[in-house]
Amino acid sequence: MHRVLLDVDTGVDDALAIAYAVRSPALDVIGITTCFGNVPVDCATRNTLHVLERLGATGIPVAAGEAAPLFHPPMRAYPAQFHGEKGLGDLTFPDPEGKPVSTPAAAFMVDQIRRYPKQVTLICVGPLTNLAAAILHAPEIISLVRQIIVMGGAVGAAGNCRMHAEANVYSDPEAAQLVFQSGAPITLVGLDVTMKTELGLEDVQRWRERDSDLTRFLADITSYYIGGYRQAYSGREGCALHDPLAVAVAIDPSLVEVQPMALQVDLEGIHSYGRTVADLRPRCTDRPNVDVCTGVDAKRFQEHFIQTLMI
Ligand code: BDR
Ligand code: CA
């Protein structure tokens, strides 16, 4: 069992990732930090606390984080068609009883990484703003963190929120570039692999038939998310499991193939601002800075994911 910290912008697939991590016997979730992204940060925090209540895991501390990108005004990267206006589809719920801890997200990350040197895996599934702020504040965490798994980017695949850019990186490209160039041990779980995963309506139906409080909740929010995919991808009756795949890599790295790459974020392009660009030339002499996931055993992952949450 190893210690993980999740950094989320709780939308639907973040909620699925939280549930997967909390219910996985292989992981010990020592905290969750929240960020703007799919929804404003207050809403992401509220959704996160709600998901933890559903999981009966209110002992996990939640730290609220950044409300906007580090160096420029927010850009709308996430259409509400996927996550709904408030992030969990069309679900409404009373305010959670739990409250976030008083420490802000970046400071919380630093505290936990210092407390457990070389033991914490950070799983970031939203914009990288909190982590960039943590690195700026305490650069020593780069050598103290065990691993950073980032859901973000698209190296060979098409972008999602822009032609070439993936939503999490596009939401704060300067923060992502700072993190990627920091020298920290990073594994990138981008659209190259996440778009090869799928949760279909028949899988959602298995959760419905299980008929527990948790599986009903998962089925409801995921049905909404699949509705977004239906609109955006001309009738696709299933959704990609972006954020859960990042958690899966922490549980079982053998689910993916990785290739070390020299990776940058384009911070100037007119059509490619926020794009993750890798030098793939055989004679590239730049040192690789990121392990990029290039292949995934999608079937094995999907089954493990569904089964872990069949409770
Ligand atoms: C990422 O964008 C968000 O909408 C999802 O939660 C995921 O983290 C996929 O590009
Ligand atoms: Ca997310």
Side-chain angles (χ1 to χ4, degrees):
M1 178 126 135
H2 72 260
R3 295 188 167 97
V4 298
L5 257 181
L6 302 179
D7 186 51
V8 297
D9 58 330
T10 307
V12 173
D13 64 328
D14 303 74
L16 299 178
I18 293 169
Y20 188 29
V22 168
R23 285 294 159 96
S24 167
L27 305 181
D28 174 14
V29 181
I30 60 170
I32 304 183
T33 51
T34 64
C35 186
F36 76 95
N38 287 318
V39 285
V41 66
D42 289 349
C43 193
T45 305
R46 184 174 184 270
N47 291 347
T48 304
L49 290 165
H50 179 71
V51 173
L52 289 178
E53 279 182 3
R54 294 263 185 178
L55 289 163
T58 49
I60 295 175
V62 175
E66 303 292 331
L70 285 187
F71 305 112
H72 59 72
M75 301 172 291
R76 181 82 180 148
Y78 309 83
Q81 86 191 97
F82 291 105
H83 301 276
E85 284 300 333
K86 297 203 164 158
L88 292 181
D90 49 12
L91 199 79
T92 55
F93 50 88
D95 280 339
E97 280 177 23
K99 297 274 171 273
V101 297
S102 55
T103 314
F108 183 85
M109 275 181 186
V110 172
D111 289 350
Q112 297 302 313
I113 294 168
R114 280 183 181 150
R115 184 169 173 201
Y116 302 111
K118 306 270 187 201
Q119 293 174 45
V120 176
T121 297
L122 207 51
I123 306 175
C124 300
V125 297
L128 288 166
T129 317
N130 288 333
L131 178 53
I135 291 173
L136 286 173
H137 174 70
E140 74 274 15
I141 63 168
I142 292 160
S143 56
L144 292 178
V145 71
R146 179 178 188 249
Q147 188 190 9
I148 300 172
I149 301 173
V150 172
M151 190 284 124
V155 175
N160 55 3
C161 73
R162 292 292 180 276
M163 220 188 327
H164 299 296
E166 180 280 331
N168 289 339
V169 172
Y170 182 77
S171 294
D172 196 347
E174 288 79 11
Q177 173 73 342
L178 191 151
V179 168
F180 296 156
Q181 301 311 313
S182 69
I186 298 170
T187 302
L188 193 76
V189 183
L191 299 180
D192 305 275
V193 281
T194 64
M195 287 302 277
K196 292 179 182 153
T197 66
E198 176 152 295
L199 192 86
L201 285 175
E202 61 292 350
D203 303 314
V204 173
Q205 188 53 29
R206 284 164 72 191
W207 277 340
R208 280 208 195 286
E209 281 161 16
R210 174 69 185 83
D211 201 28
S212 70
D213 285 351
L214 180 69
T215 57
R216 270 196 306 274
F217 165 68
L218 298 174
D220 287 347
I221 61 173
T222 309
S223 301
Y224 188 98
Y225 196 47
I226 291 177
Y229 272 77
R230 193 178 298 127
Q231 286 175 37
Y233 297 97
S234 353
R236 178 174 170 175
E237 290 296 344
C239 60
L241 292 167
H242 303 292
D243 295 350
L245 185 60
V247 171
V249 172
I251 298 172
D252 180 359
S254 78
L255 288 166
V256 287
E257 286 155 36
V258 299
Q259 225 178 291
M261 294 186 191
L263 188 91
Q264 307 273 342
V265 180
D266 188 337
L267 300 178
E268 290 180 16
I270 298 171
H271 302 294
S272 54
Y273 179 61
R275 178 181 192 172
T276 44
V277 184
D279 191 340
L280 300 173
R281 291 172 297 181
R283 286 214 218 117
C284 166
T285 50
D286 291 347
R287 265 189 54 198
N289 54 340
V290 175
D291 282 337
V292 176
C293 293
T294 52
V296 57
D297 187 340
K299 280 213 157 38
R300 189 156 68 88
F301 154 61
Q302 286 153 205
E303 198 48 35
H304 184 262
F305 169 71
I306 295 162
Q307 283 303 336
T308 304
L309 293 174
M310 196 63 85
I311 27 180

